[in-house]
Amino acid sequence: MKSKATSFDIAHMAGVSQSTVSRALSDSPLVNQETREKVKRIAKELNYKVDKNASNLRKQHSQTLALLFFEDPTSDDSLINPFFISMLGSITKATAAAGYDLLVSFQNLKDDWHAVYEDSNKADGLILLGYGSYTDYEYKLSQLEEQGTRFLRWGAPDEKHPGVSIGCDNYLGGVEITKHMLSLGHKTFGFIGYADETAPEFKARFDGFMSVLLENALPSSNVVQKNAISTEAAGYEAALKILNDNRPDAIVCASDLIAMGAIRAVRSLGLKVPADIAVVGYDNIQISEFASTPLTTVHQNTQLAGELLVTNLLKMINNEPVTDYLMPPELIIRQSCGVNSSK
Amino acid sequence: MKSKATSFDIAHMAGVSQSTVSRALSDSPLVNQETREKVKRIAKELNYKVDKNASNLRKQHSQTLALLFFEDPTSDDSLINPFFISMLGSITKATAAAGYDLLVSFQNLKDDWHAVYEDSNKADGLILLGYGSYTDYEYKLSQLEEQGTRFLRWGAPDEKHPGVSIGCDNYLGGVEITKHMLSLGHKTFGFIGYADETAPEFKARFDGFMSVLLENALPSSNVVQKNAISTEAAGYEAALKILNDNRPDAIVCASDLIAMGAIRAVRSLGLKVPADIAVVGYDNIQISEFASTPLTTVHQNTQLAGELLVTNLLKMINNEPVTDYLMPPELIIRQSCGVNSSK
DNA sequence: CTGAAAGCGCTTACAG
DNA sequence: CTGAAAGCGCTTACAG
């Protein structure tokens, strides 16, 4: 293994100064066309690549964005929430398109903030990605802000939280899905998913759901809500509890994973989806389309979300103003509610 | 935004030299207990973090691993192969556990190798992850090696390829799945998936499959093979072609995604899985469990794979010897082949 | 145990 | 258009 070439090696071979090499390689207009070409040719021959550490140290920025996944502490190790996974792709691409590198790390919302600061040091900006409540971490967020770290949070804008956030309008998603249910004649509901501050996304969906019921003068006795984390197993358990007590027209689930479990629960009692009980999910994860009964759900445009996150973070880095943004949700009607849309 | 503190600031405040600060912070045994504590306290107060660029430049290594996804050029943008996604989690964790950072980038196998070299410059080692053939890229791989880059390839070891690789035994996977089919009495088969060098993983699965048929003296006229890339749509198309011509006992698919499509095709003709036709997949992606008919498939231990990839790459970086490794596959029997295992 | 000094490989004013 | 020089913020021999 030969030691790597430096700009001095190239300078030597090209018979110019090292400064000129640096200029030529960065396409500075200050350098003669001919010189530039010669330098570039030699650099190529030597398989020379600028040392990022040196370059970044000198330039005082890292040309790197960090993506911090805050894991759902409840979900098991091997199963990352498919929704986030799908955002990873678009974030990676948007980052690369902007000429930045992407540092990815998984964080535990509970304790690993030390690592966050570490990362904030290695990156020009941070993207915070994770379900769940940042409520207990406002303090940390403030500290991040105070420290001058540029960061963007995925999630619903919330005046209680420092920093700007980009998210999907979960309230509106809940509204749309519920209107759809009502239009199909469903009147009594189960709702599965946390509906409190520990899961702001779920709560927003639930609130949207309830608002439509209220609007339509349906009594709150028409709905029974059960907490559940976003897993198939939790959805199954919760659905079973609901079905043991009563038999609503429909079960509204705070996530697709929960919905998968709910469908299994319905079936396990010998009932059919959607003939006996309708089920809706949220997220439009890949499974939802291929499920035994293709799931009616709400799509969140992860492609757009990733791009928005990256371009806005870049704006922050360039000291341009950035504001909260809420993306509209998109209702995807499939078979699990009793409507058969064309495939 | 106040400018970041440096080790000199701390040195000043602590009344010691900057070298001592550096030593104290890195827990050098050379520094007095009391001094260390004072320095650390002040560092904490100032929210000081070592500048990685400076530190890495000085130490001449980056303490970073790069993960390069080679995208299946055929798959659409938004859908990353779930199998790889699942490896991302374990790789990230293993990397973090080793105290390294992870740089993630998506590459196009075709042209973006420039970026690979870039990355090789920013990381101490590279993990190459992607389906498909590296055949055309041997040259690039050699160049990487020549350049002294430490890299590990995910995939079947292959003497034609430079570098060491860690992979799953696809041949054995094909063997096991086929033995299972035979034990259920299936005798005629469709096989969906490329079975040539462009897709070495698929080919190995196919070869394993064929070897068992041969062993059992089944004529090759008992199998019809159709090419397909790893998508639901391609699986659907290919299955339809097979079913239009003949009606095998079972369809063996080179991936779960293909199998999902095959199942849809079988159904679209009014046939049932597995009653009329058995279907098997490969990968054990999340969908396979929740599919309309839970899929019999082959599990690849992504958790282990990720750890193996990281620990072995770290060994390479430390100049320890590393050899190719093939992980055994694991047959997961569910309902799509006609056997009802306990859930 | 501690400090002064060198140097990692760049970029970019400064001077010509 | 080009070169000589400074300096980004560290780590680590070297000297005490």
Side-chain angles (χ1 to χ4, degrees):
Chain A
M1 165 180 170
K2 38 187 175 182
S3 68
K4 270 186 313 193
T6 72
S7 52
F8 281 94
D9 299 329
I10 297 179
H12 184 73
M13 291 183 68
V16 295
S17 76
Q18 181 268 339
S19 348
T20 300
V21 171
S22 178
R23 287 196 193 95
L25 260 20
S26 60
D27 284 317
S28 159
L30 289 173
V31 54
N32 179 357
Q33 177 71 10
E34 218 174 304
T35 316
R36 186 207 319 288
E37 275 162 17
K38 193 207 273 180
V39 166
K40 285 202 170 181
R41 186 168 41 71
I42 297 176
K44 192 157 202 170
E45 270 169 28
L46 262 53
N47 216 290
Y48 170 80
K49 288 282 141 32
V50 171
D51 183 301
K52 289 287 174 184
N53 285 133
S55 164
N56 291 339
L57 172 58
R58 177 57 231 250
K59 292 200 282 193
Q60 288 296 289
H61 74 259
S62 62
Q63 197 73 5
T64 300
L65 263 27
L67 172 60
L68 308 187
F69 273 103
F70 290 97
E71 291 179 80
D72 192 342
T74 46
S75 82
D76 89 73
D77 246 33
S78 58
L79 278 188
I80 309 165
N81 188 318
F83 170 75
F84 290 125
I85 283 314
S86 134
M87 295 215 21
L88 175 65
S90 61
I91 290 177
T92 311
K93 275 169 196 161
T95 306
Y100 274 71
D101 289 318
L102 218 222
L103 219 48
V104 175
S105 70
F106 283 68
Q107 305 287 333
N108 189 312
L109 207 42
K110 293 235 169 50
D111 43 40
D112 257 1
W113 281 74
H114 170 74
V116 174
Y117 298 125
E118 280 288 348
D119 284 333
S120 73
N121 209 259
K122 285 173 290 194
D124 296 336
L126 260 42
I127 295 176
L128 269 31
L129 194 56
Y131 264 145
S133 173
Y134 294 87
T135 314
D136 305 340
Y137 313 101
E138 284 177 46
Y139 163 72
K140 302 285 192 178
L141 255 25
S142 304
Q143 204 172 319
L144 225 40
E145 202 165 45
E146 200 175 290
Q147 186 183 303
T149 303
R150 327 303 174 96
F151 68 95
L152 220 45
R153 204 165 53 81
W154 168 257
D158 178 347
E159 57 275 16
K160 284 186 308 188
H161 290 130
V164 1
S165 70
I166 289 179
C168 211
D169 196 335
N170 288 292
Y171 184 90
L172 186 55
V175 166
E176 290 192 357
I177 215 153
T178 313
K179 283 186 176 164
H180 175 62
M181 300 298 248
L182 257 34
S183 77
L184 296 173
H186 302 309
K187 289 201 162 50
T188 58
F189 299 92
F191 183 98
I192 304 180
Y194 278 93
D196 56 27
E197 306 73 34
T198 63
E201 293 84 2
F202 285 7
K203 183 176 185 336
R205 293 167 196 177
F206 181 71
D207 290 346
F209 162 75
M210 288 302 285
S211 78
V212 174
L213 298 192
L214 269 179
E215 223 167 66
N216 286 269
L218 288 173
S220 63
S221 60
N222 276 20
V223 7
V224 35
Q225 182 270 343
K226 285 271 182 261
N227 284 341
I229 60 170
S230 189
T231 64
E232 204 264 354
Y236 175 78
E237 293 301 332
L240 233 38
K241 276 186 206 147
I242 291 178
L243 296 168
N244 278 342
D245 294 343
N246 44 9
R247 198 144 294 178
D249 298 335
I251 299 180
V252 177
C253 302
S255 82
D256 284 349
L257 249 20
I258 290 176
M260 301 307 299
I263 290 179
R264 181 158 63 92
V266 170
R267 291 236 172 87
S268 74
L269 298 177
L271 300 171
K272 285 199 161 56
V273 176
D276 299 315
I277 295 185
V279 173
V280 274
Y282 205 108
D283 282 345
N284 193 31
I285 61 178
Q286 204 183 16
I287 313 178
S288 65
E289 183 177 354
F290 301 128
S292 40
T293 303
L295 204 60
T296 288
T297 186
V298 176
H299 178 66
Q300 310 195 53
N301 190 339
T302 50
Q303 198 67 30
L304 211 205
E307 279 163 25
L308 244 29
L309 246 12
V310 171
T311 54
N312 279 290
L313 183 53
L314 256 24
K315 275 188 192 167
M316 292 181 78
I317 291 170
N318 293 324
N319 293 314
E320 294 169 37
V322 167
T323 54
D324 289 339
Y325 185 77
L326 258 192
M327 304 191 332
E330 183 190 341
L331 188 62
I332 305 282
I333 299 177
R334 286 197 277 250
Q335 277 108 69
S336 69
C337 286
V339 163
N340 232 304
S341 77
S342 64
K343 168 119 200 168
Chain B
M1 166 181 170
K2 36 185 176 183
S3 69
K4 270 187 312 194
T6 72
S7 51
F8 282 94
D9 298 329
I10 297 179
H12 184 75
M13 290 183 66
V16 296
S17 76
Q18 182 267 339
S19 351
T20 300
V21 171
S22 178
R23 289 196 193 95
L25 260 19
S26 60
D27 283 317
S28 158
L30 289 173
V31 54
N32 180 357
Q33 176 71 11
E34 218 172 304
T35 315
R36 185 206 321 288
E37 276 163 16
K38 193 206 273 178
V39 167
K40 286 202 170 181
R41 185 168 40 71
I42 295 175
K44 191 156 204 170
E45 270 168 28
L46 262 55
N47 217 289
Y48 169 80
K49 289 282 141 34
V50 171
D51 183 300
K52 289 288 172 182
N53 286 133
S55 163
N56 291 340
L57 172 58
R58 177 57 232 250
K59 292 200 282 193
Q60 288 295 287
H61 74 259
S62 62
Q63 199 72 7
T64 299
L65 263 28
L67 172 60
L68 308 188
F69 273 103
F70 290 96
E71 290 180 78
D72 192 341
T74 45
S75 82
D76 88 73
D77 245 34
S78 57
L79 278 188
I80 308 166
N81 187 317
F83 170 74
F84 291 125
I85 283 313
S86 135
M87 294 214 20
L88 175 65
S90 61
I91 290 177
T92 311
K93 275 170 196 161
T95 307
Y100 274 70
D101 289 319
L102 217 222
L103 218 48
V104 175
S105 70
F106 282 68
Q107 306 287 333
N108 189 313
L109 207 42
K110 293 236 168 49
D111 42 41
D112 258 1
W113 282 74
H114 170 74
V116 174
Y117 298 125
E118 280 288 348
D119 284 334
S120 74
N121 209 261
K122 286 174 287 193
D124 295 337
L126 259 43
I127 295 175
L128 269 31
L129 195 56
Y131 263 144
S133 173
Y134 293 89
T135 314
D136 305 338
Y137 313 101
E138 284 176 47
Y139 163 72
K140 301 285 192 176
L141 255 24
S142 304
Q143 203 171 322
L144 223 42
E145 203 166 44
E146 201 175 288
Q147 184 183 306
T149 302
R150 327 306 174 94
F151 68 94
L152 220 45
R153 204 165 52 82
W154 168 256
D158 177 347
E159 55 276 15
K160 286 186 305 188
H161 290 132
V164 0
S165 72
I166 289 179
C168 211
D169 196 335
N170 288 292
Y171 184 89
L172 185 55
V175 165
E176 290 193 358
I177 217 155
T178 313
K179 283 186 175 164
H180 175 62
M181 299 296 249
L182 257 35
S183 78
L184 296 174
H186 302 310
K187 289 199 162 53
T188 58
F189 299 93
F191 183 97
I192 304 180
Y194 278 94
D196 56 27
E197 307 74 32
T198 63
E201 292 85 1
F202 285 7
K203 184 177 185 336
R205 292 168 196 177
F206 181 71
D207 290 347
F209 162 74
M210 289 303 286
S211 78
V212 174
L213 297 192
L214 269 179
E215 223 169 65
N216 287 269
L218 288 173
S220 63
S221 60
N222 275 22
V223 9
V224 36
Q225 183 270 341
K226 286 270 181 265
N227 285 340
I229 59 170
S230 190
T231 64
E232 204 264 353
Y236 175 78
E237 293 301 333
L240 233 39
K241 277 187 205 148
I242 291 177
L243 296 168
N244 279 341
D245 294 343
N246 45 10
R247 198 144 293 177
D249 298 336
I251 298 180
V252 177
C253 301
S255 81
D256 284 348
L257 249 20
I258 289 176
M260 302 307 300
I263 290 179
R264 180 157 65 91
V266 170
R267 291 237 172 87
S268 74
L269 298 177
L271 300 171
K272 284 201 162 57
V273 177
D276 300 315
I277 296 185
V279 174
V280 274
Y282 206 107
D283 283 344
N284 192 30
I285 61 177
Q286 204 184 15
I287 313 177
S288 66
E289 184 177 353
F290 301 129
S292 41
T293 304
L295 205 59
T296 288
T297 186
V298 175
H299 178 66
Q300 311 195 54
N301 190 337
T302 51
Q303 197 67 29
L304 212 204
E307 279 163 25
L308 244 28
L309 246 12
V310 171
T311 55
N312 279 289
L313 183 55
L314 256 23
K315 276 188 191 167
M316 292 182 79
I317 291 170
N318 292 325
N319 292 314
E320 293 169 37
V322 166
T323 54
D324 289 338
Y325 185 77
L326 259 192
M327 304 192 332
E330 185 190 340
L331 188 62
I332 306 282
I333 298 177
R334 287 196 276 249
Q335 277 109 67
S336 69
C337 286
V339 163
N340 232 303
S341 76
S342 66
K343 167 113 201 176

